[in-house]
Amino acid sequence: MVLRSQKSIPWILVWNILVVLLGAAGTYQAAEKAGLGGTLLAHRGHIEVDAAATESTSPLAPLLRGVAFKKDSAKHGALVIATLNGYPLGGDLNIVETLLDEFAIGDTVRIEYAMVAEGEEAIPQLELHAATLQLVPHYSPSYLLIMTVVAAIFFVLGVVVLVKLPHEHHARVFHHTMNFAVLLIACTSGRYTIDPAGLGYLVRGAFVAGYVMMPLLFVHFTFLFPEPKWRGAERLMHVCYAVGGLLVAATTLSFILSTTPEIHQGWMAVYSALFELCRYLFMAGCLFSLGNFIHSFRAAADEIARRKLRWLLLGSAAGPLQYILLWVVPSKVGFIIVPEEVVILMVAITPITFVIAIVRYRMLDIDLIVNRTTVYAVMVGVWLAIYLAVVGVVAMLLQSSLTFSKDIWLSSVAAVIAALLFEPARRRVQAFVDRRFFRVQYNYRVAQRQFVEAINRAIDVDQLAQLVVDRIALLIPVERIALFRIRGDTARAHPLAHHSFPILQHRSVPFDAAQLNWDTRLPVGIQDQIEPGVPIVPADARIFRRWGVAVAFLTLSEQGKALGFLALGPKKSGRRFTVEDMDLLATVAAQAGLAIERIELQQRLMLEHAETQRLEELNRMKSYFVSSVSHELKTPLTSIRLFAELLQRSPTIASEKSQEYLKIIEGETDRLTRLINNVLDFAKVERGLKEYTLIECDINPIVESVIATLQYQIQMRGFQLVADAQPGLPVVAADPDAVAESLVNLVANSMKYSTDHRFIRIATFGRNGHVGVTVEDRGIGIAREHLLHIFDPFYRVREETAHRAGGAGLGLALVKHIMDSHNGTIHVTSTPGQGTTVTLLFPINQHPLP
């Protein structure tokens, strides 16, 4: 896991481990939670027992069967619980849960209850009955399993987003949101007297923190994703977090005080009020987040952002909104619609859709999901209506009570009729939804204008192709799409860009417009994929279906020449291409063809201009080379001629003096020879004729011969030479003459580009499977911007100090070629004004040469 700072990794790990441990403790606490065995509702100011949701095995079942109505047994009423262990309950479910959470499964409690008939509101005027009940497990095994699985989904997906986008602020906020959601789900109210002592209070505090902090983090996330929308949000959220932390602390403290036997009587109401405030904060945060997403969706101009927001809206509606509508509000009004475990299971949709929006929003087609969900939701209602209508009509016609056999027969007939009518009805509903809601998902004129503007801004054919493919995929989701370029010399089409065309990887397709019977003015397509009335050329369905193509458009040049074509597969929604779709695609294909022709013409002109500039630069370099070589040739020739004339005119010159003059002539001759050899060798390199004979050789003798060759020039120029050879080096496969030539060029450069500090060091060494030679000087050095070019032929640094040193600019180019031919490497380090170090590394010869 990579985060903004390595220091934050331990804190993130500790936070995640703490969430896992608290979640496990919360699950254990929930498994130990005791209950009365029925569903309790806060209704009409009482705690009522939901008779329909209470099983026959519940301790409350005998009370529901054995209590008679006080006034009129024909009246409907409800069983209400007035007190629990002597504590008056009123209509507060929080007090009931807090009181029961003190006990373990199997403990007994004493309740006072009554039957309230319709119209009777006040318990004190009713006759109360007392009963002792043995507590049973509050949560079923299936509920505990669902709770654990859903909490694990939230936790894992929060970690996934953090790992995928470790540097994104919204990813970190989402991760914290998921962790607090885990605390909210797993740390639900349970027995707080579990061992070890105090663990129950810690879990209850985590539960309250989940209720308070999760919606606040959710609100924070809505201000950050898909794009930050308000600069002041960070400051505001920090204030909200501080207030939320105080609320969590106050609620948890009031719970602890309310469960203290000496003082719980007063604090119970405080805890209940604070916890209700937490619930209202939860609902307000979730509803505000949904509204904020809707505002972002309406304000978004980018289709990518809108698609991400569709996923977020789907997740918000499927998770927090349905939790409020199907559980929180119904439990308040006393009418449970869906069991709690079903609601929790449905909430698991939220993190999944959010992760898709954050990490991979194009994994699925959100519009297709909404389309199909709408259609099949309507069809379920239609099917039920048909079924009930058939049953009702038949029952009315029979005008008699139905026996069991008649019921089976009637249900079977109704199911068959409904099944036969299902598919025709589905087609009509699909067509209606497509026509009313999903026919055109874009503004045709706006999309056309934006397409043309984007195409005209493209400066590269590949960029243009990717732009066309990506935008079409966003506007008109299809199974596959590709833009092809026809190569005239091969009569084959090559894909420039494509989506979901794996068959096109590194392949081209044959193209023959005449054989395909392609009228360049019209698209070619499969008729059942396009709305009737759109002019097309019918395609060879066998070929198109084999390639997965539904419709194709030619891209033409200004002269009408086919440059390529745009191929699209069927729509992901299963709908046909509309008139608007075909007009937009035809415009895009036409504009793409003109843009391709324009870009390729511009590229040809740019290449011609670049070629002209290259030729001019080459001529300039050649002129500079001739000038430099002429100067380099003239200098040693002048010296040779001067000292030869001195020897000629002074026959009686002393022997020591004549030997000195002869050494000068010999040194200048060697200098002249090296220059000519460099030019000739470079000419061979350019023509590919330069060859090297590799033999097993020792580097040290080669270095010694180079030093002996340059000894005269080193002495004449006043250089201090230090030779540092490491004995016993392994042999390498090399051409001794070529290695010597490389070292001579390097030492010559060191002498040439040294001014005041005349020092040269040559060292040999062995390291990491290589034998190396280092040539070090303390000359003028090389600036960083020139290091990348010093091995280019004819390259010369334009600085005055280096320019005065002369040279043809071939020495280092030859050194580079020699090292490449020996599978060796060159390393150069240099500091202007301090000197340069060049290291040649030769691989050790592991296998003897033949």
Side-chain angles (χ1 to χ4, degrees):
M1 186 183 298
V2 181
L3 298 173
R4 190 193 313 183
S5 172
Q6 294 296 326
K7 296 180 180 179
S8 64
I9 293 178
W11 295 108
I12 291 294
L13 292 176
V14 169
W15 167 228
N16 285 324
I17 292 172
L18 180 62
V19 169
V20 172
L21 294 178
L22 287 173
T27 304
Y28 170 64
Q29 185 192 43
E32 293 292 314
K33 183 179 178 66
L36 298 175
T39 301
L40 304 181
L41 302 174
H43 186 50
R44 298 189 299 178
H46 311 316
I47 300 298
E48 296 185 0
V49 179
D50 187 354
T54 301
E55 299 180 358
S56 59
T57 57
S58 169
L60 294 170
L63 303 182
L64 291 170
R65 294 192 300 267
V67 177
F69 290 107
K70 179 180 178 183
K71 296 181 180 179
D72 186 356
S73 60
K75 285 186 177 182
H76 296 286
L79 177 68
V80 300
I81 301 176
T83 65
L84 178 63
N85 282 350
Y87 192 94
L89 302 179
D92 197 335
L93 284 173
N94 294 328
I95 294 178
V96 179
E97 273 202 295
T98 305
L99 292 173
L100 289 176
D101 286 344
E102 179 183 357
F103 300 98
I105 298 171
D107 291 347
T108 57
V109 294
R110 183 176 180 277
I111 66 170
E112 290 182 316
Y113 64 93
M115 181 65 73
V116 178
E118 289 182 353
E120 294 180 335
E121 298 293 338
I123 288 180
Q125 289 131 13
L126 300 177
E127 180 182 357
L128 295 178
H129 304 273
T132 301
L133 303 178
Q134 186 177 25
L135 299 180
V136 296
H138 182 76
Y139 294 120
S140 65
S142 61
Y143 177 91
L144 295 173
L145 176 61
I146 291 172
M147 181 183 72
T148 305
V149 170
V150 173
I153 291 173
F154 273 81
F155 179 78
V156 170
L157 293 181
V159 173
V160 166
V161 170
L162 187 63
V163 172
K164 290 286 186 182
L165 303 169
H167 302 292
E168 298 293 340
H169 187 29
H170 65 261
R172 293 190 294 274
V173 173
F174 178 79
H175 172 252
H176 295 316
T177 307
M178 294 298 99
N179 277 357
F180 277 105
V182 170
L183 299 180
L184 176 61
I185 295 170
C187 298
T188 184
S189 297
R191 184 165 72 92
Y192 60 86
T193 56
I194 58 174
D195 293 327
L199 178 61
Y201 294 111
L202 180 63
V203 174
R204 184 63 62 102
F207 175 56
V208 175
Y211 246 120
V212 175
M213 303 308 291
M214 195 279 284
L216 292 178
L217 285 160
F218 192 19
V219 171
H220 193 177
F221 178 77
T222 63
F223 283 113
L224 298 175
F225 189 82
E227 293 178 355
K229 60 184 298 185
W230 180 35
R231 293 183 179 179
E234 290 293 322
R235 192 179 302 107
L236 175 63
M237 292 312 303
H238 284 122
V239 175
C240 292
Y241 292 145
V243 174
L246 293 175
L247 179 60
V248 171
T251 306
T252 306
L253 180 62
S254 65
F255 173 76
I256 296 173
L257 295 175
S258 68
T259 56
T260 304
E262 295 80 7
I263 57 175
H264 76 85
Q265 199 79 14
W267 285 101
M268 187 76 72
V270 176
Y271 165 70
S272 178
L274 289 176
F275 191 73
E276 281 300 304
L277 179 61
C278 295
R279 286 179 182 268
Y280 286 121
L281 177 63
F282 176 86
M283 289 189 289
C286 293
L287 293 176
F288 179 85
S289 299
L290 180 60
N292 209 9
F293 278 144
I294 294 173
H295 176 268
S296 299
F297 181 81
R298 298 184 64 179
D302 185 5
E303 179 61 26
I304 294 177
R306 294 173 69 87
R307 183 164 293 190
K308 293 178 181 179
L309 285 163
R310 289 190 189 102
W311 281 111
L312 298 176
L313 289 171
L314 176 62
S316 300
L321 183 61
Q322 74 172 0
Y323 180 73
I324 294 171
L325 296 179
L326 299 180
W327 181 253
V328 178
V329 174
S331 64
K332 282 292 180 187
V333 299
F335 183 69
I336 298 297
I337 305 174
V338 181
E340 187 178 4
E341 54 263 41
V342 176
V343 176
I344 293 177
L345 192 60
M346 295 170 67
V347 167
I349 299 173
T350 301
I352 296 173
T353 57
F354 274 50
V355 170
I356 292 175
I358 298 170
V359 178
R360 189 168 293 182
Y361 70 95
R362 293 171 64 176
M363 184 175 72
L364 298 171
D365 188 350
I366 180 63
D367 298 323
L368 176 60
I369 293 174
V370 175
N371 181 313
R372 296 297 169 85
T373 302
T374 304
V375 170
Y376 284 98
V378 172
M379 284 310 304
V380 168
V382 171
W383 190 87
L384 290 174
I386 294 173
Y387 179 84
L388 295 175
V390 171
V391 171
V393 169
V394 173
M396 183 179 63
L397 292 176
L398 291 177
Q399 294 181 350
S400 63
S401 60
L402 299 175
T403 64
F404 177 75
S405 60
K406 288 182 180 179
D407 286 340
I408 296 295
W409 172 82
L410 178 58
S411 299
S412 301
V413 170
V416 170
I417 294 174
L420 292 175
L421 295 177
F422 183 87
E423 184 58 23
R426 187 199 67 80
R427 291 179 181 176
R428 290 183 177 274
V429 171
Q430 179 79 65
F432 174 80
V433 172
D434 287 348
R435 184 171 61 255
R436 291 293 182 184
F437 304 105
F438 293 95
R439 175 180 176 147
V440 179
Q441 301 178 3
Y442 54 88
N443 185 309
Y444 169 74
R445 296 186 180 278
V446 173
Q448 185 184 54
R449 185 184 71 252
Q450 292 176 345
F451 243 123
V452 172
E453 292 174 353
I455 288 173
N456 289 335
R457 287 195 301 267
I459 58 174
D460 179 77
V461 172
D462 292 333
Q463 176 196 4
L464 169 68
Q466 198 65 50
L467 168 72
V468 170
V469 167
D470 290 344
R471 289 217 171 189
I472 290 177
L474 281 174
L475 293 177
I476 311 174
V478 290
E479 293 180 1
R480 57 189 57 86
I481 180 174
L483 181 62
F484 293 85
R485 176 71 169 93
I486 301 170
R487 305 298 180 190
D489 53 345
T490 61
R492 299 185 69 85
H494 300 261
L496 296 174
H498 70 88
H499 279 174
S500 303
F501 254 121
I503 195 173
L504 297 179
Q505 294 293 340
H506 310 295
R507 292 186 60 183
S508 60
V509 297
F511 179 83
D512 187 346
Q515 184 179 359
L516 293 174
N517 191 29
W518 200 330
D519 186 340
T520 57
R521 297 168 300 175
L522 297 175
V524 177
I526 301 176
Q527 289 181 328
D528 60 6
Q529 296 288 337
I530 302 168
E531 278 190 351
V534 179
I536 62 169
V537 175
D540 187 332
R542 180 179 57 84
I543 296 177
F544 269 51
R545 294 190 192 281
R546 179 164 62 89
W547 284 91
V549 175
V551 63
F553 299 80
L554 272 180
T555 55
L556 304 173
S557 68
E558 193 171 356
Q559 292 75 27
K561 178 184 176 182
L563 299 176
F565 59 91
L566 177 66
L568 298 95
K571 285 188 174 183
K572 290 182 178 180
S573 63
R575 304 188 301 274
R576 296 188 178 195
F577 287 90
T578 64
V579 176
E580 292 86 355
D581 294 335
M582 298 298 284
D583 288 345
L584 178 64
L585 293 171
T587 302
V588 170
Q591 293 296 323
L594 297 177
I596 290 174
E597 185 179 36
R598 169 182 59 80
I599 292 171
E600 292 181 346
L601 177 59
Q602 289 176 346
Q603 290 178 341
R604 284 197 299 271
L605 292 175
M606 292 173 63
L607 286 174
E608 291 175 0
H609 180 66
E611 181 66 15
T612 302
Q613 287 186 325
R614 193 185 71 82
L615 291 175
E616 291 176 355
E617 178 66 14
L618 185 59
N619 287 332
R620 187 190 62 78
M621 291 173 63
K622 286 182 176 179
S623 299
Y624 180 77
F625 170 72
V626 171
S627 174
S628 299
V629 170
S630 300
H631 175 75
E632 291 292 311
L633 291 173
K634 185 184 294 184
T635 301
L637 284 175
T638 302
S639 297
I640 292 171
R641 182 172 181 175
L642 173 63
F643 288 101
E645 287 179 353
L646 287 175
L647 288 173
Q648 224 175 13
R649 293 174 183 174
S650 305
T652 60
I653 193 170
S655 175
E656 293 83 0
K657 204 66 174 178
S658 64
Q659 287 299 320
E660 180 184 349
Y661 291 168
L662 288 174
K663 285 184 178 180
I664 292 175
I665 292 172
E666 183 182 8
E668 294 299 325
T669 304
D670 290 342
R671 177 181 172 188
L672 187 61
T673 302
R674 284 197 303 273
L675 177 60
I676 295 173
N677 286 340
N678 279 347
V679 175
L680 295 177
D681 286 344
F682 182 74
K684 290 181 181 179
V685 169
E686 276 201 321
R687 296 197 302 271
L689 301 177
K690 183 64 177 176
E691 296 180 352
Y692 303 99
T693 303
L694 304 184
I695 62 173
E696 292 182 348
C697 58
D698 189 353
I699 288 294
N700 284 334
I702 300 175
V703 173
E704 292 172 1
S705 67
V706 169
I707 293 174
T709 301
L710 298 173
Q711 189 67 39
Y712 165 74
Q713 293 190 32
I714 291 172
Q715 291 177 354
M716 288 293 294
R717 298 191 181 188
F719 276 86
Q720 176 190 357
L721 176 65
V722 175
D724 186 7
Q726 179 181 332
L729 291 176
V731 297
V732 296
D735 186 326
D737 294 335
V739 175
E741 181 182 357
S742 297
L743 295 176
V744 167
N745 277 310
L746 294 179
V747 176
N749 276 353
S750 294
M751 290 190 291
K752 187 185 303 180
Y753 296 106
S754 293
T755 54
D756 299 332
H757 302 285
R758 296 175 176 256
F759 171 85
I760 298 175
R761 177 177 175 269
I762 304 177
T764 61
F765 59 89
R767 184 177 63 202
N768 298 331
H770 289 77
V771 171
V773 184
T774 296
V775 178
E776 176 186 351
D777 64 57
R778 295 175 185 173
I780 63 175
I782 307 170
R784 181 185 297 271
E785 61 268 19
H786 298 301
L787 284 176
L788 295 177
H789 305 286
I790 59 175
F791 296 107
D792 297 342
F794 309 115
Y795 183 80
R796 296 293 308 281
V797 176
R798 294 291 183 260
E799 295 173 1
E800 183 64 25
T801 306
H803 189 69
R804 287 200 304 265
L810 296 178
L812 290 179
L814 289 172
V815 173
K816 180 70 166 58
H817 184 268
I818 290 169
M819 295 306 296
D820 289 344
S821 301
H822 285 70
N823 293 323
T825 55
I826 309 175
H827 298 282
V828 181
T829 58
S830 184
T831 303
Q834 297 183 18
T836 302
T837 300
V838 182
T839 302
L840 308 182
L841 293 176
F842 298 89
I844 295 175
N845 187 24
Q846 301 289 345
H847 306 286
L849 294 175

